[in-house]
Amino acid sequence: ALEGPVASGNADFRDVDSEPEIDGPLRPETSDRRSARAMLRLRLRLLFGNKRAVYSVIILPAIFNILAFGLGGNSSGVSGDNTSMAIYPPMAFGISIIAFTMQLIQDKEWKCKYVAIAQGLSVKSYWAGTFTAHYGVSLLNSLILVVAVQYNGVAKLSGSGFLLLVVQALVYPVGLLLFAYNFSLLFKKVEMAVKVLPLSNLFLGTIPTVCVTVFWKLPGSWPDIARTLHVVMSVINPVYAL
């Protein structure tokens, strides 16, 4: 048998030296700001690495915004009808947010978000990087529309009203993205979202805008109905583009 102080003590329960306290964050290399920038780069790579997403988010909306002025000829100008402007821009923005909603649904379906958070990514960094990437792409579509309005000289939107249009172009993508993020919570599979999202965006964005434009030109009490519908849609419908 062993003798001495070693034999009298249990090796499994010996006292060990405590680790020294560390001042400051335990992992300073993974700050929220750096994590958000990494999420921003990831979102942009996923977007621009997918040709279909680039087409639906940038190319097709740009075509619709240009068609709002090109098909109408001079009708969108100083003294004409602006029906094409009421149809094509809502379609452009409605199509652009579909890819953003799909990204979040894929994150949920493939458990990407939960794995990233489990590996140390904070929820704040996840949403900050996601929103910044999506807002930057959406802002490009808004700026294309603003440039087209200024270039074609639309009477009611140029001049003193142009500054208000610029402010709306900066704010409007925020409502679209918040709508897309909340709408993604209704779906668990990408297959179902692909079937529902185009129709829902068409219903919420294009149809109310066209109805207000058409009602405004009708005689009688229709302009009052159009004004009421415009106010209601402006309050409750984030996709409404007027």
Side-chain angles (χ1 to χ4, degrees):
L2 296 176
E3 297 180 358
V6 177
S8 61
N10 192 332
D12 294 334
F13 296 95
R14 286 183 300 176
D15 293 334
V16 296
D17 295 334
S18 60
E19 296 182 357
E21 296 183 359
I22 301 176
D23 297 332
L26 297 180
R27 300 179 62 188
E29 72 278 3
T30 57
S31 63
D32 288 340
R33 181 176 299 179
R34 294 184 63 181
S35 299
R37 288 200 300 265
M39 196 68 197
L40 167 64
R41 292 192 296 267
L42 176 62
R43 289 299 186 193
L44 293 179
R45 287 187 178 184
L46 289 175
L47 181 63
F48 290 103
N50 187 342
K51 294 182 179 179
R52 181 177 298 179
V54 172
Y55 178 77
S56 63
V57 171
I58 298 177
I59 298 177
L60 191 58
I63 293 175
F64 278 135
N65 285 327
I66 295 174
L67 286 178
F69 302 92
L71 290 183
N74 295 328
S75 63
S76 299
V78 176
S79 60
D81 175 37
N82 293 323
T83 304
S84 61
M85 288 189 60
I87 296 176
Y88 291 106
M91 294 176 62
F93 290 108
I95 292 173
S96 66
I97 64 175
I98 293 178
F100 304 146
T101 309
M102 292 297 183
Q103 277 191 350
L104 298 182
I105 297 174
Q106 282 184 344
D107 285 355
K108 181 167 55 177
E109 183 178 356
W110 297 346
K111 303 296 188 296
C112 300
K113 176 183 176 182
Y114 305 112
V115 172
I117 293 176
Q119 295 297 323
L121 179 68
S122 65
V123 177
K124 180 173 64 175
S125 299
Y126 174 86
W127 285 113
T130 299
F131 177 82
T132 305
H134 292 169
Y135 179 78
V137 177
S138 300
L139 188 61
L140 179 61
N141 296 324
S142 297
L143 295 179
I144 291 175
L145 182 60
V146 170
V147 172
V149 169
Q150 182 69 9
Y151 179 79
N152 287 271
V154 180
K156 295 182 180 180
L157 299 178
S158 300
S160 59
F162 183 72
L163 180 59
L164 181 60
L165 178 65
V166 173
V167 174
Q168 184 178 5
L170 297 176
V171 175
Y172 181 60
V174 176
L176 288 177
L177 294 178
L178 294 179
F179 169 78
Y181 295 163
N182 285 277
F183 208 51
S184 67
L185 300 176
L186 301 178
F187 302 95
K188 295 182 179 180
K189 299 292 183 180
V190 175
E191 291 78 7
M192 179 60 66
V194 170
K195 300 175 183 177
V196 177
L197 285 176
L199 295 177
S200 64
N201 290 347
L202 176 65
F203 177 78
L204 294 174
T206 305
I207 293 180
T209 306
V210 173
C211 289
V212 171
T213 305
V214 172
F215 292 166
W216 214 290
K217 302 173 185 178
L218 298 178
S221 61
W222 287 106
D224 296 332
I225 297 176
R227 188 176 295 106
T228 303
L229 181 61
H230 170 69
V231 173
V232 172
M233 288 292 104
S234 298
V235 173
I236 68 173
N237 187 359
V239 190
Y240 183 67
L242 284 182

